[in-house]
Amino acid sequence: TWSLPAEWNKDNTQVNMVGPQHMNVDGKVWHQNNGIAAIHRIDLASGNVETFQPFKDSKPGENHNIYDIIPDSKNNAYFTDFAQQHIGRVDAKTGKITLYPTPTPNSAPRRGLMDSQDRIWFGEYRGHKIGMFDTKTEQFREWAMPTPWSAPYDVAIDKNGELWTGSMTTDRV
């Protein structure tokens, strides 16, 4: 077991959304800290914990909520910002953080899924769409939900390449 360093292990700490999918690349596992909108990366061999704060320089009163951690095939961490409209990236080698706003403002992206082509699929809860972010071209695509105000939760891809979302309704897009 591993624990966060004392400076990050506070009363409001909520560690969840662990992303071990590509820890074979560098022996490191990503997870988020919902209490402070931060991302931690644990080196499994040493137990060392690195912390990344994508929103530490946000405007006063601006709310952010890191909802998911989704590693790509190189173990870079991608994340969704449910309180706003960002897909974010933490570069595994440099630690550089990049924020990509979705085309739909205030879309509340959540429940990201990385496919075999390193594309992130996600629900846009307040945007009433599902989205895809191609991590190689850094381009978004969005699809409107067929049922208005259905609040898409996530995206799943079936064996036929059709997209499904769990939402207030169940829709095939």
Side-chain angles (χ1 to χ4, degrees):
T1 62
W2 294 267
S3 295
L4 288 177
E7 68 264 25
W8 300 112
N9 199 0
K10 305 290 185 190
D11 288 343
N12 64 337
T13 296
Q14 181 184 349
V15 173
N16 51 21
M17 301 302 177
V18 178
Q21 294 90 326
H22 295 288
M23 66 183 186
N24 60 307
V25 172
D26 56 10
K28 297 178 181 180
V29 173
W30 297 95
H31 64 86
Q32 60 103 317
N33 183 336
N34 198 45
I36 59 170
I39 298 167
H40 303 291
R41 179 171 60 174
I42 301 171
D43 184 314
L44 298 179
S46 69
N48 183 50
V49 176
E50 298 171 273
T51 298
F52 304 89
Q53 294 180 279
F55 305 110
K56 69 179 178 184
D57 296 326
S58 295
K59 299 174 194 167
E62 186 175 270
N63 190 25
H64 294 277
N65 179 346
I66 298 173
Y67 202 85
D68 290 311
I69 297 293
I70 312 110
D72 70 5
S73 63
K74 296 180 177 94
N75 210 24
N76 298 300
Y78 286 84
F79 57 93
T80 59
D81 179 13
F82 182 69
Q84 298 289 330
Q85 67 271 340
H86 301 100
I87 298 296
R89 178 183 192 263
V90 181
D91 186 284
K93 293 189 188 312
T94 67
K96 178 184 175 190
I97 297 168
T98 307
L99 298 175
Y100 304 93
T102 60
T104 299
N106 201 32
S107 62
R110 68 178 185 182
R111 286 290 180 254
L113 165 78
M114 187 73 68
D115 71 13
S116 63
Q117 298 175 51
D118 278 343
R119 298 178 301 183
I120 301 170
W121 297 85
F122 51 93
E124 292 184 81
Y125 184 74
R126 287 190 304 269
H128 312 294
K129 298 176 182 177
I130 61 169
M132 183 273 294
F133 179 70
D134 187 321
T135 66
K136 294 174 183 163
T137 65
E138 299 182 346
Q139 299 293 311
F140 284 94
R141 289 194 61 196
E142 295 178 317
W143 293 267
M145 296 301 299
T147 306
W149 308 106
S150 55
Y153 185 78
D154 62 358
V155 178
I157 306 168
D158 71 14
K159 65 182 180 179
N160 300 317
E162 293 180 329
L163 305 174
W164 295 81
T165 183
S167 63
M168 302 302 276
T169 63
T170 301
D171 291 312
R172 182 180 79 190
V173 182

